[in-house]
Amino acid sequence: MAVTAAAAPLRWGIAGPGDIASAMARALRHVEGAELVAVGSRSMERAASFAERFGATRAHGSYEALLDDDEVDLVYVATPHSSHRELAVAALEAGRHVLCEKAFAVNAREAREMAAAARASGRFLMEAMWTWFLPPVVELRRRLASGEIGRVRAVEANFSIAVPGPTGRHHELALAGGALLDLGVYPVALSRFLLGPPVEVRALGELGPTAVDVNLGVVASHPDGAVSIFHTGLEARSSHWCEVVGTEGVVRIEPPFWGTSGFTIDRHDGAPERVEVPHHGLAHEAIHAVERIRGGHLESDVIPLDTSVAIMATLDEIRRQIGVTYPADTP
């Protein structure tokens, strides 16, 4: 499946050569108008290895060197979310466009600072919420809006994995660890994409020995009275399914729901319909970013900066209710 953009290449640099960065590097091969030219890491060895694997022409042994590279037009921030604000703001101030992984920041204050830096610099900034750009998810939203399962009453999702603690990034309070920002951001964002912004949020959860959330359940109300319900955690692996309940049927999004390739519509008055839409993963958010930048826009019209700030505010409220406070929450 071809993915196209403007002919003139936008030169990409990747900050942080981890798993999600590898996925993006592979995805960029499907994006006309995007060229991976550089990678930066705190380890020169890791940067060089990544550059060799994915054909980047330059490797930098520090993030600062990557941001100072004048051959880079856009920086893809693929580091843990505890460093997103620092790297994104520095990249924007260096004159680079930025695509920043989710969770967009640690809290809404940081997200607002990132948005302000983008607007002050006149550079493009977007949250890399790739699920919102996946063709099967876009098709699902279109079908829901057309009323194929009647009025949507609920979205139910789960995203839990087993990450034994108490050591490691997921369990470190100083690194904004816990299930919510790493995993729970997906069902929060998906329910907003399908149902609109939450009206009210209620959360219950358990904190682990390092004071991060390890087991969490959330219920939110949305416009028109619909509700979203999700579970996330670090103690057990869940099914990674999502179900959308309507007055005239049910949609089951196949796992993993945040990167799904299809869904089944089970209407009350007919046989189930299997819908499969091929996709190239992260390529679709990348193509959107390229098109917006080439069009002279400073933010996305799919996930605008104010929406990313609002999602972080929802995550802040969930953390407030369950008692998770990060050092970064204190200015």
Side-chain angles (χ1 to χ4, degrees), residues 119 127 132 299-309:
R119 289 160 179 157
E127 180 179 2
W132 286 32
E299 59 184 290
S300 169
D301 59 348
V302 174
I303 183 164
L305 292 175
D306 287 347
T307 296
S308 293
V309 171

Side-chain angles (χ1 to χ4, degrees), residues 264-274:
T264 298
I265 304 176
D266 192 354
R267 301 177 185 86
H268 299 331
D269 60 354
E273 177 189 359
R274 169 83 164 80

Side-chain angles (χ1 to χ4, degrees), residues 170-186:
H170 289 85
H171 294 274
E172 288 219 21
L173 194 68
L175 296 180
L180 180 63
L181 265 61
D182 210 65
L183 313 175
V185 63
Y186 283 100

Side-chain angles (χ1 to χ4, degrees), residues 31-141:
V31 180
E32 294 181 17
E35 179 185 4
L36 177 60
V37 299
V39 59
S41 171
R42 289 190 296 265
S43 162
M44 186 62 196
E45 181 179 359
R46 289 192 68 206
S49 174
F50 188 96
E52 182 178 2
R53 284 171 59 205
F54 295 107
T57 55
R58 289 181 305 288
H60 298 289
S62 71
Y63 298 131
E64 293 79 11
L66 173 65
L67 304 188
D68 288 340
D69 188 338
D70 288 333
E71 297 299 311
V72 171
D73 300 313
L74 179 149
V75 172
Y76 171 56
V77 177
T79 58
H81 46 257
S82 55
S83 62
H84 284 181
R85 179 209 167 275
E86 178 185 1
L87 283 176
V89 169
L92 292 162
E93 291 178 345
R96 317 298 171 212
H97 303 293
V98 174
L99 179 62
C100 184
E101 265 304 326
K102 89 303 289 171
F104 193 53
V106 171
N107 52 43
R109 175 183 55 79
E110 288 192 351
R112 285 190 292 269
E113 291 172 357
M114 293 161 66
R119 289 160 179 157
S121 67
R123 292 294 182 268
F124 178 88
L125 171 64
M126 186 183 95
E127 180 179 2
M129 183 52 68
W130 67 297
T131 306
W132 286 32
F133 299 92
L134 282 181
V137 177
V138 173
E139 173 65 7
L140 170 59
R141 187 166 75 160

Side-chain angles (χ1 to χ4, degrees), residues 145-299:
S146 72
E148 290 204 16
I149 60 168
R151 290 177 64 210
V152 177
R153 301 287 76 209
V155 172
E156 302 181 34
N158 65 76
F159 188 179
S160 298
I161 59 176
V163 186
T167 60
R169 174 180 68 83
H170 289 85
H171 294 274
E172 288 219 21
L173 194 68
L175 296 180
L180 180 63
L181 265 61
D182 210 65
L183 313 175
V185 63
Y186 283 100
V188 167
L190 181 64
S191 64
R192 185 185 182 100
F193 188 67
L194 299 179
L195 301 178
V199 176
E200 186 178 6
V201 176
R202 300 289 180 88
L204 293 171
E206 178 188 10
L207 307 189
T210 60
V212 303
D213 54 296
V214 296
N215 194 34
L216 173 67
V218 174
V219 178
S221 62
H222 296 262
D224 192 36
V227 297
S228 60
I229 306 155
F230 78 84
H231 163 257
T232 188
L234 299 177
E235 297 179 321
R237 179 181 172 84
S238 65
S239 64
H240 302 166
W241 275 86
C242 177
E243 187 169 89
V244 183
V245 181
T247 57
E248 299 175 21
V250 174
V251 175
R252 297 177 181 87
I253 306 175
E254 295 171 5
F257 69 83
W258 60 91
T260 189
S261 292
F263 52 90
T264 298
I265 304 176
D266 192 354
R267 301 177 185 86
H268 299 331
D269 60 354
E273 177 189 359
R274 169 83 164 80
V275 179
E276 184 171 358
V277 185
H279 65 81
H280 279 301
L282 305 187
H284 302 282
E285 66 179 358
I287 190 63
H288 177 77
V290 170
E291 289 178 340
R292 294 295 287 179
I293 292 169
R294 291 301 184 216
H297 303 285
L298 298 183
E299 59 184 290

